[in-house]
Amino acid sequence: MTISGETSLAGSHAAEELASEIQQAAEQIRRERQSKRAKQQAQQAQHDAVEAALTRSDTRRSAGSGSGKDDVVLVGNLIGEGHVNYVLMYNMLTGIRVGVSRCQAKMKRALSPEDFSAAHKMSFDIIGNELTPSAKYDFKFKDYAPWVFRSLREEVFHLDPADYLLSLTAKYILSELGSPGKSGSFFYFSRDYRFIIKTIRHAEHKFLLSILEKYYQHVQSNPHTLISRFYGLHRVKLPRGRKIHFVIMNNLFPPHRDIHETYDLKGSTVGREYPEDRARENPRAVLKDLNWINRGKMLELGPEKRALLTEQLRRDAEFLKSISVMDYSLLVGIHNMRRGNRDNVRKNTLKVFSPDIPRSHRKSVSTKGAIQTDPAIIRRAMRNSETKRLGEGKNPIKLPDEHTGDDNRAHFVFYQDEGGLRATDDNNDPQDTIYYLGIIDILTPWNAVKKLEGIWKGLSADRHKISPVPPTDYSKRFFDFMKAIMRGGEGGAKFKPE
């Protein structure tokens, strides 16, 4: 055999040995993968069994309490874990708690132009990480203009930061209006009924950001404004869900007084009537302009309060005209002091959710083989939490029977009489009615859609009395109507369609 032949034979043996080693390594990897897959399947089967047992337990508990009075709410829907909006509600409050706390923890500073367009993103999951605590669900949260809204809350609206967070997130809210509003928005109440979380469309979110600097300047120079008070603008998104934008606002109606009549007044009278026969069956319906006129209602205010209200309405209407919006309205809630709180609406409408939040389990840089946190433990703690009616539990929330003065309303002229504006006679002496007033729905700009709507409605009705009219006309009509329906005014009859 030649040297070249020996070399060839040695190379062949080496190649065979390499191929054998590769095959053995591949088989070893295959066995490890199969073992790992079998272990994961066993763990998943055990986890599914635990989840199924928990579900059966929840079902039995729900069935056992389903016939009780505690599951009945007079106004609004109880949001349990099976409710379509439960996950949304939970993620909203978790994001608010972390986002607002993070901003509040920093030293106060002057606002810059960039603050009005800033946005901070956060990601949450069931384990948690160095930046965010553990959460029940995976979701993303976006906090818009946090420094601007912090300044609005503290410096303009005189909200205590700790009080704000406690009201919203100390106990998770589980009360919403029975159906979405006309725009498709959902409304949620804070545990003490002071704040509203309202979902808004993407276009409304963009519009609010575009006018935020002007809004800030207006409320800063007009601390007694009647325009809705925005305390925060946020966005939440589930992994495979759509983006939900929402704002946090003041609840115009107080927690300590029943509202006996509610009106939504625009100064428009075409199609602006709630059927009176339905109103008799549903005394808490929101009535409209024609109901107000036909019932002969007036804002009973003496000269002093009438002058103050008229001037503030003029300033607010001018501002709304300057940002080219329309379709806003004056919401009027009426409390009859002689009737008082006999209906006891407040204690029967709100429910709260108080989850036993587990200790924050954060992801750590661990070595191979370290024990990982089991998500089922966290889920179990959440599942075992139960809803309680306001006033129940070890530390019941007391709804005051009288105005305690511990909120921010006392700072403002139109909210200082038991949280509202008390009626007065011609001598400015107090009467037995309290009005709760506020300008709402200010995020509808005059755009092409509204122009077409105005043209269409104008074909069959008086175009001066329909709702969609240009901002200048809308502002003037709104202000004229409000002046007319105050004591001493000519009344709203001239605004009725012929």
Side-chain angles (χ1 to χ4, degrees), residues 336-347:
N336 186 322
M337 298 181 73
R338 292 185 179 180
R339 187 173 170 185
N341 293 336
R342 288 199 303 266
D343 296 341
N344 209 19
V345 175
R346 298 159 297 125
K347 292 183 180 178

Side-chain angles (χ1 to χ4, degrees), residues 186-198:
F186 283 90
F187 295 81
Y188 305 87
F189 296 110
S190 67
R191 71 181 181 95
D192 55 6
Y193 207 53
R194 286 178 60 192
F195 303 109
I196 292 175
I197 296 177
K198 178 187 177 185

